[in-house]
Amino acid sequence: MAVTSGKEGKSSSMDQGKYVRYTAEQVEALERLYHDCPKPSSIRRQQLIRECPILSNIEPKQIKVWFQNRRCREKQRKEASRLQAVNRKLSAMNKLLMEENDRLQKQVSQLVYENGYFRQQLQNASIATTDTSCESVVTSVKHQQQNHLTPRDPPRDASPAGLLSIAEETLTEFLSKAKGNAVEWIQMPGMKPGPDAIGIVTISHGCTGVAARACSLVGIDPTKVAEILKDRTSWLRDCRSVDVLTAFSTGNGGTIELLYMQMYAPTTLASARDFWTLRYTSVLEDGSLVVCERSLSGTQGGPSMPAVQQFVRAEMQPSGYLIRPCEGGGSLIHIVDHMDLEPWSVPEVLRPLYESSTVLAQKVTMSALRHLRQIAQEVSSDVVLGWGRQPAALRTFSQRLCKGFNEAVNGFTDDGWSLMGNDGMEDVTILVNSSPSKLFGQQFASSDGLPALGGGILCAKASMLLQNVPPALLVRFLREHRSEWADSNIDAYSAASWKASPCTVPSSRVGGFGGGQVILPLAHTVEHEEFLEVIKLENHGLTQEEALLSRDMFLLQLCSGLDENAVGACAELVFAPIDASLADSSPLLPSGFRVIPLDSGMDGSSPNRTLDLASSLEIGSAGARTSVDYGGNSGNLRSVLTIAFQFTFENHLRENVASMARQYVRGVVASVQRVAMALAPSRLGSHLGPRLPPGTPEALTLARWVCQSYRFHLGVELLRPNSEVNESLLKTLWHHSDAIMCCSLKSLPVFTFANQAGLDMLETTLVALQDISLEKILDDNGRKSFCSDIAQIMQQGYAYLPAGVCVSSMGRPASYDRAIAWKVLNDEENPHCIAFMFMNWSFV
């Protein structure tokens, strides 16, 4: 070790504490030690000196200082790296916004020009003829412009030269949509651009078919982005298959592929779609990567594809991806999806699904961006999620659940499905598949379940129209309140069917849910629009003996579309029985619900509204029905609900299983209708703003006790002084910005009341609140603190709790700055419950 001093006159002992220069070997040794233990204790530092002779002549204090400086440099390096990444992202987003601004300015100029042109045409028309119809003139002018913009070339042959001509034309038209104004783009409802937004998402206005466009920054290199997006089956849940029938390279370094793609129908009331397209991949002069695609039809020429049974041939207008490398890493991506989905072929009530650009943006365009962001996050950090699984493995489970549910809804004959006769009523459709290996492949054939029994799979499905019920709200309720529609006997039968000795066919009794459910989170997407979880169903069994053998059952469940502000997004709840091992090769037999909105307008309802359905779900309680009221403009909200349940069967029990399945699905439909009626907003009070939970005398009394006890114990008012009337008191308490909750005085305290902020913090409803215990939401420190403070609360009347973390019913941590707990006294001054107020809370 070399020691240098600032001045010759200084003592060496002073210099030794200030100026130390380490040799290269010593630095190398310290770096190795830092890698193993960045923050060693004093004992550990002394041990390091003994174990490493090269450090023996360095003071322990100097080693401590070295580690402090090393940690500081590491922190600064990480912060600098983070700021550089943020700067790169902001620069890229600024570039996108400037390009979008230029495009909009050009569009404004074009509209000003067209406006002047239309005015001139109107003046000429009024002079030349008595027909002063503005609409006929404008229509004719637009028709002329469209004919000018889209010239009709003569059909071309299927030779490589002819296909290259089609490809180059497709590229030109795609770029005019991605960067120009070939389509009039307007901002998608509900999408606000910003630093945390998924991107700039726009939809078409007034063009043929439906179209959506998105611009965004993703942290993946362009080649990888193109590879991911071209694999549609990995991210587009509605895509059944993509077959590349022909592929060849072009002279300019590009690639042309002829594709046949099949898309699932979202409901049993419509046919599936297929596409016959040409896909062209090339690199532009500026280094940008382009993947564009369009349908091959008689207009463009090229090879043809015969119609396929059960599919309606749809048309893809020039669409694709423009991927540009971003400075410092990542890619700037423009996505354009433009389709004609042949809405004439579906019932009129479903046509909004096929005529809405908003629906296309949600299902296709934004799905691509979300998938890319998810992959980028997984690549940038070594994430291990629930049950020690890697994100890719859990993503595969989600894809399999969606695919299995889509197969059940569509029931394609080439997968082995055939229609089974009905019982005189056509409300429930029964399909039978006696060749399940077509669906599950070798995974199914090698399992320990059905193939050994010589049976098959049976699917019971139905669709219904719903009025005035937001899809997200309905699916959230079905997820949290399984007991309102599920039957424990059927759940037990489905779980036991995968075992070597399945149980007998039970009788259906919807609502006979005999035990509780525990939601065990596995994974969620970046924006929390999709959740993968394991549902533990406790204390189930068809008989007492079976209950003793297997008390718990497990379901793998996928829940999506819970954001009521996501315009045009459908909500799904799909689940399948599994065993506790959750093996990757386990066969899945998904069942579930899909609710699709039929109206593209914004639903003005609050995404966090809550409900008290305990009284509304009682048959004949008309008085209670009027008290459940919600705000928003959902008076004309329509949606279609599709239900599909799959069951295994042995051949000799097929008729019995079919009868059970038909009866069960009818019962589920009736339960969902009953729930939907309770969830629907009151038409009499829909003009009012967001309302309180039902103002029962008990709720008013509890609100008064909570406020009086707070004033009695702490000497200050909980609410504003002008809240004197009971109803006003309850209203003010309900809308208080801090989370206020009441907990029972039992050996296992459970929550009995929470205001709006409290329900948001716990991510639950007033009904489900009663199933949440205080112990479940507190972390270890919170439980220890509460156990030590409960005596003070009961003796002194209140206690201040330090900052901490709670866990919501969905498993999300929520931090709070501080909390207060106080004893709530009734009118006789006896303890009634304990109230908590969590201040400045937010999800971590």
Side-chain angles (χ1 to χ4, degrees):
M1 179 182 69
V3 180
T4 61
S5 59
K7 292 183 179 180
E8 293 296 334
K10 298 285 184 180
S11 67
S12 61
S13 61
M14 293 179 61
D15 295 336
Q16 193 172 1
K18 291 183 179 180
Y19 308 101
V20 176
R21 182 177 297 156
Y22 300 93
T23 65
E25 293 79 8
Q26 289 173 334
V27 171
E28 183 180 354
L30 288 171
E31 286 289 349
R32 286 197 305 269
L33 298 174
Y34 177 84
H35 180 73
D36 296 335
C37 181
K39 195 173 182 180
S41 63
S42 59
I43 299 176
R44 176 61 177 151
R45 289 195 299 270
Q46 293 174 0
Q47 182 182 358
L48 293 176
I49 294 175
R50 290 194 300 269
E51 293 176 354
C52 192
I54 199 172
L55 302 176
S56 59
N57 57 348
I58 302 179
E59 294 289 335
K61 180 181 177 182
Q62 290 298 336
I63 292 183
K64 177 182 178 181
V65 171
W66 186 93
F67 274 93
Q68 289 175 344
N69 294 338
R70 182 64 178 83
R71 289 195 299 270
C72 183
R73 290 197 302 271
E74 181 71 14
K75 184 178 180 181
Q76 291 174 344
R77 185 190 64 79
K78 290 181 179 179
E79 181 65 12
S81 178
R82 186 189 69 83
L83 291 176
Q84 289 174 359
V86 171
N87 182 61
R88 287 195 300 268
K89 179 179 179 180
L90 292 176
S91 299
M93 291 302 296
N94 181 60
K95 183 178 180 180
L96 274 180
L97 290 173
M98 290 177 64
E99 291 177 355
E100 186 70 6
N101 184 55
D102 292 340
R103 186 191 66 80
L104 291 173
Q105 288 181 351
K106 292 178 182 178
Q107 185 176 355
V108 169
S109 301
Q110 181 179 348
L111 292 174
V112 170
Y113 171 78
E114 291 180 357
N115 185 45
Y117 184 76
F118 291 157
R119 287 178 181 274
Q120 185 64 38
Q121 290 293 322
L122 287 172
Q123 292 176 2
N124 296 340
S126 62
I127 296 173
T129 178
T130 57
D131 181 11
T132 60
S133 171
C134 298
E135 183 179 356
S136 62
V137 175
V138 173
T139 303
S140 64
V141 173
K142 283 190 173 182
H143 183 67
Q144 293 172 8
Q145 288 185 340
Q146 288 177 357
N147 289 338
H148 180 265
L149 289 175
T150 57
R152 300 296 183 182
D153 294 333
R156 285 151 288 196
D157 58 24
S159 66
L163 293 177
L164 179 60
S165 175
I166 298 174
E168 294 290 351
E169 179 185 303
T170 303
L171 175 61
T172 302
E173 293 189 35
F174 160 69
L175 291 177
S176 68
K177 296 176 185 178
K179 302 177 67 175
N181 295 311
V183 172
E184 182 180 352
W185 301 110
I186 61 174
Q187 184 175 326
M188 180 174 169
M191 292 294 298
K192 296 181 179 180
D196 298 325
I198 190 173
I200 303 171
V201 183
T202 55
I203 57 176
S204 63
H205 177 68
C207 74
T208 303
V210 291
R213 173 179 174 269
C215 311
S216 185
L217 169 70
V218 294
I220 310 174
D221 66 88
T223 304
K224 185 64 175 179
V225 170
E227 178 185 336
I228 292 172
L229 292 178
K230 290 170 75 171
D231 184 15
R232 275 200 184 96
T233 54
S234 68
W235 58 266
L236 184 55
R237 298 291 171 81
D238 288 342
C239 182
R240 185 191 185 207
S241 62
V242 177
D243 297 322
V244 180
L245 303 185
T246 303
F248 62 90
S249 300
T250 61
N252 56 5
T255 303
I256 291 178
E257 300 165 291
L258 300 185
L259 310 178
Y260 175 66
M261 178 172 65
Q262 292 182 344
M263 302 281 286
Y264 293 110
T267 174
T268 60
L269 304 177
S271 298
R273 278 6 187 203
D274 64 353
F275 295 85
W276 170 237
T277 63
L278 177 146
R279 184 167 69 191
Y280 181 39
T281 305
S282 63
V283 180
L284 302 182
E285 294 181 355
D286 62 357
S288 300
L289 186 60
V290 178
V291 181
C292 56
E293 190 172 356
R294 81 178 306 159
S295 286
L296 292 173
S297 61
T299 304
Q300 289 82 28
S304 60
M305 166 69 73
V308 178
Q309 187 180 7
Q310 292 186 283
F311 289 89
V312 173
R313 182 64 47 83
E315 184 174 0
M316 180 183 293
Q317 304 289 348
S319 307
Y321 319 109
L322 171 61
I323 311 164
R324 295 181 291 172
C326 183
E327 218 176 301
S331 306
L332 287 171
I333 178 172
H334 291 71
I335 301 178
V336 174
D337 292 300
H338 191 177
M339 301 179 184
D340 183 354
L341 298 174
E342 305 295 338
W344 57 266
S345 64
V346 300
E348 186 173 355
V349 69
L350 293 181
R351 289 185 184 176
L353 291 179
Y354 296 83
E355 297 174 339
S356 171
S357 295
T358 301
V359 173
L360 178 70
Q362 283 283 1
K363 293 175 64 175
V364 183
T365 314
M366 294 176 64
S367 293
L369 288 183
R370 290 190 181 108
H371 185 73
L372 289 172
R373 293 186 68 184
Q374 189 71 31
I375 296 295
Q377 185 193 51
E378 295 171 4
V379 170
S380 62
S381 58
D382 188 12
V383 181
V384 178
L385 300 175
W387 293 22
R389 298 303 178 90
Q390 293 292 333
L394 297 180
R395 193 166 58 248
T396 301
F397 276 123
S398 300
Q399 293 168 354
R400 290 175 57 196
L401 283 173
C402 283
K403 183 176 180 64
F405 183 70
N406 279 322
E407 293 288 354
V409 169
N410 287 261
F412 296 116
T413 55
D414 59 354
D415 280 332
W417 291 104
S418 60
L419 187 64
M420 190 174 180
N422 58 45
D423 59 352
M425 299 176 63
E426 299 182 353
D427 56 335
V428 178
T429 302
I430 302 291
L431 295 178
V432 175
N433 193 329
S434 298
S435 304
S437 58
K438 290 185 177 181
L439 284 176
F440 295 93
Q442 295 303 317
Q443 285 184 345
F444 191 88
S446 62
S447 67
D448 296 330
L450 183 68
L453 306 174
I457 300 174
L458 184 145
C459 176
K461 56 186 180 179
S463 292
M464 57 188 284
L465 189 67
L466 299 176
Q467 294 279 356
N468 304 331
V469 182
L473 189 61
L474 177 59
V475 168
R476 186 189 307 160
F477 185 87
L478 295 175
R479 174 182 180 240
E480 295 178 0
H481 302 278
R482 188 178 179 86
S483 60
E484 293 295 339
W485 57 268
D487 180 4
S488 58
N489 285 354
I490 304 299
D491 286 335
Y493 172 79
S494 298
S497 296
W498 295 105
K499 300 177 181 179
S501 302
C503 54
T504 58
V505 179
S507 59
S508 172
R509 51 183 182 89
V510 174
F513 193 80
Q517 69 167 359
V518 178
I519 298 178
L520 308 173
L522 276 180
H524 59 78
T525 51
V526 175
E527 298 180 350
H528 292 85
E529 78 279 351
E530 185 175 282
F531 298 89
L532 183 68
E533 52 204 15
V534 171
I535 307 299
K536 181 181 179 183
L537 306 178
E538 299 174 322
N539 300 323
H540 282 275
L542 300 182
T543 65
Q544 184 177 0
E545 292 77 11
E546 290 170 350
L548 292 175
L549 290 174
S550 177
R551 290 185 174 273
D552 298 332
M553 296 186 307
F554 297 91
L555 300 175
L556 183 64
Q557 181 167 279
L558 182 70
C559 186
S560 62
L562 295 187
D563 182 6
E564 291 184 44
N565 286 332
V567 182
C570 74
E572 290 183 341
L573 184 70
V574 181
F575 48 87
I578 57 168
D579 58 23
S581 66
L582 192 61
D584 293 341
S585 60
S586 299
L588 300 178
L589 195 63
S591 303
F593 307 86
R594 175 180 290 151
V595 191
I596 311 171
L598 297 176
D599 304 282
S600 58
M602 275 291 287
D603 176 20
S605 57
S606 167
N608 294 320
R609 66 183 174 199
T610 55
L611 47 144
D612 185 359
L613 296 177
S615 57
S616 300
L617 292 176
E618 294 295 332
I619 299 176
S621 58
R625 172 71 187 279
T626 58
S627 67
V628 181
D629 186 23
Y630 314 101
N633 302 319
S634 56
N636 297 320
L637 184 67
R638 298 180 305 162
S639 56
V640 59
L641 167 67
T642 296
I643 301 174
F645 283 81
Q646 298 190 80
F647 306 93
T648 58
F649 66 88
E650 297 179 78
N651 284 330
H652 67 283
L653 295 175
R654 190 174 82 166
E655 294 298 330
N656 293 342
V657 174
S659 177
M660 177 269 294
R662 188 179 288 112
Q663 179 185 358
Y664 181 54
V665 170
R666 284 173 181 161
V668 171
V669 168
S671 298
V672 172
Q673 287 175 329
R674 184 167 57 93
V675 169
M677 289 182 64
L679 291 175
S682 171
R683 297 186 179 184
L684 296 177
S686 60
H687 63 283
L688 303 175
R691 296 186 63 187
L692 300 171
T696 60
E698 293 81 2
L700 298 173
T701 301
L702 179 60
R704 179 169 55 83
W705 289 349
V706 168
C707 297
Q708 287 179 353
S709 301
Y710 187 88
R711 181 174 62 248
F712 175 77
H713 295 305
L714 285 89
V716 294
E717 295 288 347
L718 175 62
L719 307 176
R720 293 190 301 270
N722 59 354
S723 302
E724 296 297 337
V725 184
N726 278 351
E727 291 187 4
S728 178
L729 196 72
L730 176 60
K731 179 179 179 181
T732 308
L733 183 69
W734 178 256
H735 292 293
H736 198 284
S737 60
D738 293 324
I740 300 176
M741 313 168 193
C742 292
C743 193
S744 63
L745 289 171
K746 298 180 179 179
S747 56
L748 181 62
V750 295
F751 289 102
T752 58
F753 173 81
N755 67 348
Q756 177 69 71
L759 294 173
D760 292 344
M761 179 179 176
L762 297 179
E763 293 188 295
T764 186
T765 64
L766 282 175
V767 175
L769 181 70
Q770 302 169 11
D771 298 328
I772 301 175
S773 65
L774 178 63
E775 186 179 12
K776 285 184 179 180
I777 74 160
L778 297 177
D779 60 3
D780 292 338
N781 293 331
R783 282 192 288 268
K784 293 177 182 177
S785 176
F786 178 75
C787 291
S788 62
D789 292 336
I790 184 65
Q792 179 185 349
I793 296 172
M794 299 305 297
Q795 182 178 1
Q796 179 178 317
Y798 71 96
Y800 289 99
L801 307 180
V805 176
C806 287
V807 181
S808 75
S809 62
M810 300 295 108
R812 283 209 289 170
S815 64
Y816 55 90
D817 288 351
R818 62 192 183 100
I820 301 175
W822 68 95
K823 181 171 57 176
V824 177
L825 306 176
N826 58 20
D827 291 332
E828 289 77 28
E829 297 189 358
N830 294 323
H832 176 73
C833 63
I834 295 178
F836 293 86
M837 182 165 64
F838 298 94
M839 287 168 274
N840 298 329
W841 69 271
S842 62
F843 287 115
V844 179

